Amino acid sequence: MRLLALALLLGGGTVLHPRPVMAQMVVGASDQDHALIKRIEDHLNTITLLTAQFHQVAPDGKQSTGTAWLDRTNRRMRFQYDAPSPLLLVANHDQVVFNDSQLGQTTTMPMDKTPIGLLLRPHLELSGDVRVTALMHEGPEIEITLVRDESPGDGSLTLLFHEGKTLLLRGWIVQDAQGASTRVDLLHATVGGPPPPDRLFDTDIGDK
């Protein structure tokens, strides 16, 4: 069950009062919506490297914390869970690998079959094969939900932003094909800086 929860890819929670927006179509999206979507797209594509502490809520309500590294230039990520959690997630080489050292189990999934794979694209265009299905802008809080247009059944990725002087990515919600959601909140995030060691993104983690 732990690997199943982790395989929902790091997201619990629901989008608050979303309103449908079709990014690829004029119908349903105002000029203001399109401008906001373009701002979000431009902001995401300035984030090449991000390091943060995270707080995760799984579909069953279980909470965990840890440290996250996102290297979007090289399409790789590491979620290192704080003890006593036995879980580790590494995304690299077009794969997402989950390891539970306590159970001695490792699960591998294609990155492009997971919603989180959208976030790891070095350049994410919110058009083409990506569809915006919901947009919520309430005060400084923004939520935007994305799916792959050709395979929406793979699940959705809802990105959470806080709008101040600039946009701030503060986390995401991942919903799997069965409708179960996992939420990740980013804390003390740092954008940029020197690249982390390659060893952090080693997907051969079965014995580590």
Side-chain angles (χ1 to χ4, degrees), residues 132-149:
V132 176
T133 60
L135 180 67
M136 187 277 290
H137 190 185
E138 189 172 297
E141 306 306 322
I142 299 171
E143 299 183 5
I144 184 169
T145 300
L146 314 175
V147 298
R148 288 183 178 85
D149 196 46

Side-chain angles (χ1 to χ4, degrees), residues 79-100:
F79 263 62
Q80 184 166 304
Y81 289 76
D82 293 334
S85 173
L87 301 178
L88 174 65
L89 177 150
V90 178
N92 200 0
H93 308 304
D94 298 322
Q95 295 182 324
V96 181
V97 180
F98 314 96
N99 178 252
D100 185 324

Side-chain angles (χ1 to χ4, degrees), residues 23-113:
Q24 297 169 295
M25 302 172 64
V26 175
V27 176
S30 68
D31 290 344
Q32 187 177 11
D33 290 331
H34 282 297
L36 179 57
I37 290 168
K38 185 62 167 65
R39 280 186 62 208
I40 291 170
E41 180 183 285
D42 291 345
H43 173 70
L44 282 174
N45 290 324
T46 66
I47 301 175
T48 56
L49 180 66
L50 183 146
T51 305
Q53 303 301 303
F54 70 84
H55 175 262
Q56 176 179 305
V57 183
D60 61 1
K62 186 174 181 179
Q63 301 185 36
S64 52
T65 60
T67 304
W69 292 265
L70 278 74
D71 179 356
R72 295 182 67 241
T73 299
N74 296 297
R75 292 198 75 198
R76 56 189 192 174
M77 177 178 71
R78 180 184 179 97
F79 263 62
Q80 184 166 304
Y81 289 76
D82 293 334
S85 173
L87 301 178
L88 174 65
L89 177 150
V90 178
N92 200 0
H93 308 304
D94 298 322
Q95 295 182 324
V96 181
V97 180
F98 314 96
N99 178 252
D100 185 324
S101 60
Q102 187 175 78
L103 297 179
Q105 294 181 356
T106 301
T107 300
T108 302
M109 300 174 63
M111 189 183 298
D112 287 335
K113 283 293 185 179

Side-chain angles (χ1 to χ4, degrees), residues 166-202:
T166 61
L167 288 177
L168 173 67
L169 177 64
R170 61 180 182 85
W172 54 80
I173 298 166
V174 173
Q175 186 174 72
D176 77 338
Q178 286 71 46
S181 295
T182 304
R183 179 180 180 120
V184 168
D185 289 297
L186 301 177
L187 309 169
H188 313 298
T190 300
V191 176
D198 289 341
R199 59 179 173 78
L200 288 180
F201 306 102
D202 183 359

